[in-house]
Amino acid sequence: MRSQIIVVDDDEKITSLLRRSLAFEGYDVSTANNGAEGLKLLLTADPDLLILDVMMPHVDGWEVCRRVREGGSTVPILMLTAKDDISDRVKGLDAGADDYLIKPFALEELLARVRALLRRKADKIEETSSKIVYGDLALDQDSREAIRSGRRIDLTAKEYDLLLLFMQNPRRVLTRDAIMEKIWGFDFSGESNVLEVYIAMLRQKLEDGSGNRIIQTVRGTGYVLRGEG
C-alpha cells in the first residue's frame, strides 16, 4: 500500500520538486501552496506524513502544526524552513513537529528523513499490546501511564517515548546514538547532554526506594533496562 504524503509550501519550485521526487519513490503526493489550503486538504485526507513549510501566507507552518496536534492527529510532521535559529527549531518541535530540515536542503537527505519518519510510524502501528510489563513496572500505551509497585508515575511526552523504547528492548544494551535517533531524530542538535538529563529525570521518577536503578548505564556504550525485572 502506497504511503500518502501531503506537502504544504508556498514555493511552487519546492512543491513541484517534491511532488515529482516523492512520486518517483513510490509515494502518493498531494500539495497545497499555503497553510489555509493545507488545513482544508487535511480535512478530507488522512496522510501518512505531512511536509510543512514554516513561512507561508494566511496561516504559517507553526500554526498549522499546532492545529493538527490540537485536533488529535499523530501524523508525522517534517517542517521545512529557511529559519535556522535554535529558537525557531525549538518552536517547531514544541508545536508538535517530529523533524526539522533547513532550506536549502539536499533531496537525498529529505528522502532519508521521510523514510525514517514513515518507519517510526509503522513501528507504532505494529505495537499491538496496550500494556508492557517488566518486573513491577508496567507501561500502558493507551493511557501513556507508568505504574511501579502500584504507584502511578506521570511522564512527559519524551519520558514516555524513552521508557517505551527501553521496555520494548528489556536487557538489551541501547547505544546513545541509537536512542537519540529513535527519540529525537538523527539530526537532533540540542544540548549534548539532553539524553543524560532525561535519563536522570526518568530514573528519579522510577525510584522504588531500594536504590536499585532499573535503567543502568553501560559505560562507554549506552543504557540498558535491567535490574530486578
Side-chain angles (χ1 to χ4, degrees):
M1 187 174 180
R2 291 159 65 95
S3 295
Q4 311 289 318
I5 298 177
I6 289 179
V7 179
V8 185
D9 197 308
D10 64 334
D11 187 333
E12 178 57 34
K13 291 182 180 179
I14 296 291
T15 56
S16 179
L17 169 67
L18 295 185
R19 185 189 302 111
R20 293 194 310 270
S21 301
L22 292 168
F24 183 80
E25 294 294 319
Y27 303 114
D28 284 336
V29 185
S30 301
T31 63
N33 61 19
N34 61 64
E37 288 187 5
L39 288 171
K40 289 181 181 178
L41 184 56
L42 286 165
L43 292 176
T44 59
D46 184 21
D48 298 292
L49 176 66
L50 175 60
I51 299 178
L52 185 61
D53 184 29
V54 170
M55 303 307 293
M56 295 183 292
H58 308 304
V59 181
D60 65 33
W62 288 314
E63 180 65 13
V64 172
C65 186
R66 185 185 65 79
R67 293 189 194 181
V68 168
R69 292 298 183 237
E70 286 183 349
S73 174
T74 59
V75 60
I77 298 176
L78 169 60
M79 300 194 83
L80 303 178
T81 182
K83 298 173 72 66
D84 60 356
D85 292 342
I86 292 297
S87 60
D88 292 316
R89 300 189 192 195
V90 170
K91 185 175 180 179
L93 294 170
D94 284 346
D98 297 276
D99 201 356
Y100 207 98
L101 187 59
I102 303 299
K103 296 178 179 179
F105 55 84
L107 180 60
E108 293 82 0
E109 182 179 5
L110 180 138
L111 293 174
R113 294 183 187 226
V114 165
R115 291 191 294 270
L117 288 169
L118 290 174
R119 280 198 303 270
R120 285 157 62 181
K121 182 176 186 290
D123 289 344
K124 290 181 180 180
I125 293 175
E126 290 173 2
E127 294 165 0
T128 56
S129 175
S130 171
K131 185 176 291 186
I132 303 177
V133 177
Y134 181 81
D136 63 352
L137 176 63
L139 185 66
D140 191 316
Q141 297 179 77
D142 289 337
S143 65
R144 300 175 69 88
E145 291 179 350
I147 297 176
R148 188 170 195 193
S149 300
R151 176 174 60 89
R152 180 178 177 276
I153 302 168
D154 291 323
L155 301 171
T156 66
K158 277 294 184 282
E159 287 170 349
Y160 168 83
D161 291 341
L162 190 56
L163 182 56
L164 176 61
L165 179 62
F166 280 119
M167 294 192 70
Q168 289 175 328
N169 298 275
R171 299 188 179 90
R172 176 183 174 188
V173 177
L174 302 176
T175 66
R176 187 181 188 281
D177 287 346
I179 297 172
M180 292 295 292
E181 177 177 350
K182 187 71 174 179
I183 304 301
W184 281 277
F186 63 84
D187 82 322
F188 181 80
S189 57
E191 294 294 329
S192 61
N193 67 339
V194 63
L195 177 57
E196 289 72 19
V197 170
Y198 272 91
I199 290 289
M201 292 191 298
L202 195 52
R203 281 173 170 166
Q204 183 177 15
K205 290 186 176 183
L206 296 175
E207 175 62 48
D208 64 355
S210 68
N212 173 57
R213 285 185 170 181
I214 194 169
I215 298 176
Q216 299 180 3
T217 301
V218 180
R219 189 174 298 277
T221 304
Y223 300 92
V224 59
L225 181 70
R226 200 158 50 198
E228 300 303 321

